[in-house]
Amino acid sequence: MSGYSVNASNGMLTPIAGSPFTAGHRPSAVAVDSAGAYAFVSNYGDDTLSVYGIDLTTGVLNPIGAPVATGSSPAAVTVSPNGRFVYVANWGGDSVSAYSLNRTTGALTPVGTVGAGAGTNAIVVDPAGAFAYAVNQDNGTVSIYSIDGSSGALTAAGTAATGGFPYAMTIAANGTLAFVVNSGSNNVSAYAINSATGALTAVGTYATGTAPLSITLNAAGTLAYVANSGSNAVSEYGVGTTGVLTPLGSPVSTGSNPYNVTLNPGGTLAYVANYGSANVSAYNVDPASGALTLVGNYSAGTEPVSVVVAQP
């Protein structure tokens, strides 16, 4: 896993001493807790989750114990907003594994595994930490779960239909809207979230570029960015209060086969992991319009598929 320090004023990346850091076989996704203290990497090839402590001064990753067992072919990982629980989407197992996180040591304790749809490849938790959502690419659904606030255990609470071959999902910071990118139908499905039940009500679908694989929102929930792997570009949208997406300008060029797009916590910088060109594209975000301006491209390891910013 490649690690970088971020120049907060211009977004430029500099490799951290010791990078790249060892992970398991075929790492598929990385997530960090809200405090930026711990990092978690799902290892698709050996059915494990690697856990690291993050040095808050240098950014160096320090492994915590042996990798933790997951379900078959873990494709994604997320941390609950309160930092108490970690969830892994198991693509090969059609399931979600839950863990409790010791905030002092970083140790994970298995809570249990629940079934999902076919080809579970993404997992997100709503900002209140009340519901979890698993994206099932092979049968075009999202599995909905309620979260036990004490244990982190998941209980099935319904499903929602998506477009073709859904690949990723994000939720607005106010918890009222959700968005799923559908790589098979080249669009985004938008939903309103029922705060009491977690149920998703379809708002509409919105065209993207070719083979969209990732979507992220700014903290205000007013801007959305979609990485289009097939057209080597990021599409930008304005987000209405009801979830309507309005395209903003022309798509912005990336490297080859962009798999993942993310914003820094302050929403001033954007980063894209380019699977085909083995690099990360960095952009400044215009505070008024949301427009992206390329800062540069920075070498990564082979076939990068995920990028996250641990600190502002």
Side-chain angles (χ1 to χ4, degrees):
M1 182 168 60
S2 301
Y4 310 87
S5 61
V6 178
N7 184 316
S9 63
N10 59 25
M12 294 179 66
L13 300 180
T14 301
I16 293 171
S19 174
F21 302 98
T22 301
H25 182 50
R26 292 184 64 190
S28 54
V30 58
V32 298
D33 69 319
S34 58
Y38 299 107
F40 306 88
V41 176
S42 54
N43 301 303
Y44 186 93
D46 57 17
D47 301 340
T48 63
L49 182 69
S50 299
V51 183
Y52 307 85
I54 303 175
D55 187 300
L56 299 183
T57 301
T58 65
V60 168
L61 299 183
N62 299 300
I64 297 175
V68 177
T70 64
S72 175
S73 306
V77 57
T78 195
V79 185
S80 64
N82 63 10
R84 294 181 57 201
F85 310 115
V86 175
Y87 299 96
V88 174
N90 302 304
W91 182 86
D94 301 336
S95 64
V96 177
S97 298
Y99 307 84
S100 62
L101 171 63
N102 184 311
R103 296 288 303 148
T104 302
T105 66
L108 294 179
T109 300
V111 171
T113 298
V114 295
T120 309
N121 66 313
I123 180 74
V124 297
V125 175
D126 79 310
F131 301 100
Y133 300 85
V135 176
N136 307 302
Q137 66 178 16
D138 291 346
N139 66 351
T141 63
V142 172
S143 297
I144 304 166
Y145 307 90
S146 61
I147 299 176
D148 184 293
S150 297
S151 68
L154 302 180
T155 300
T159 60
T162 67
F165 213 70
Y167 207 86
M169 181 175 182
T170 194
I171 297 176
N174 65 7
T176 63
L177 300 170
F179 301 89
V180 175
V181 288
N182 304 300
S183 61
S185 49
N186 298 328
N187 57 18
V188 175
S189 298
Y191 306 87
I193 300 176
N194 185 308
S195 61
T197 66
L200 301 179
T201 300
V203 171
T205 57
Y206 304 93
T208 64
T210 305
L213 297 182
S214 175
I215 182 169
T216 193
L217 301 179
N218 67 343
T222 56
L223 297 168
Y225 300 88
V226 174
N228 303 295
S229 179
S231 46
N232 299 332
V234 170
S235 300
E236 306 169 47
Y237 304 86
V239 182
T241 56
T242 62
V244 173
L245 298 184
T246 302
L248 300 176
S250 300
V252 176
S253 294
T254 64
S256 177
N257 303 122
Y259 258 58
N260 189 237
V261 58
T262 193
L263 297 173
N264 70 329
T268 58
L269 304 168
Y271 296 94
V272 176
N274 300 302
Y275 179 94
S277 48
N279 61 10
V280 175
S281 298
Y283 304 85
N284 284 316
V285 180
D286 185 280
S289 67
L292 302 181
T293 300
L294 181 67
V295 172
N297 296 303
Y298 302 89
S299 295
T302 304
E303 299 175 347
V305 294
S306 182
V307 60
V308 66
V309 180
Q311 300 176 32

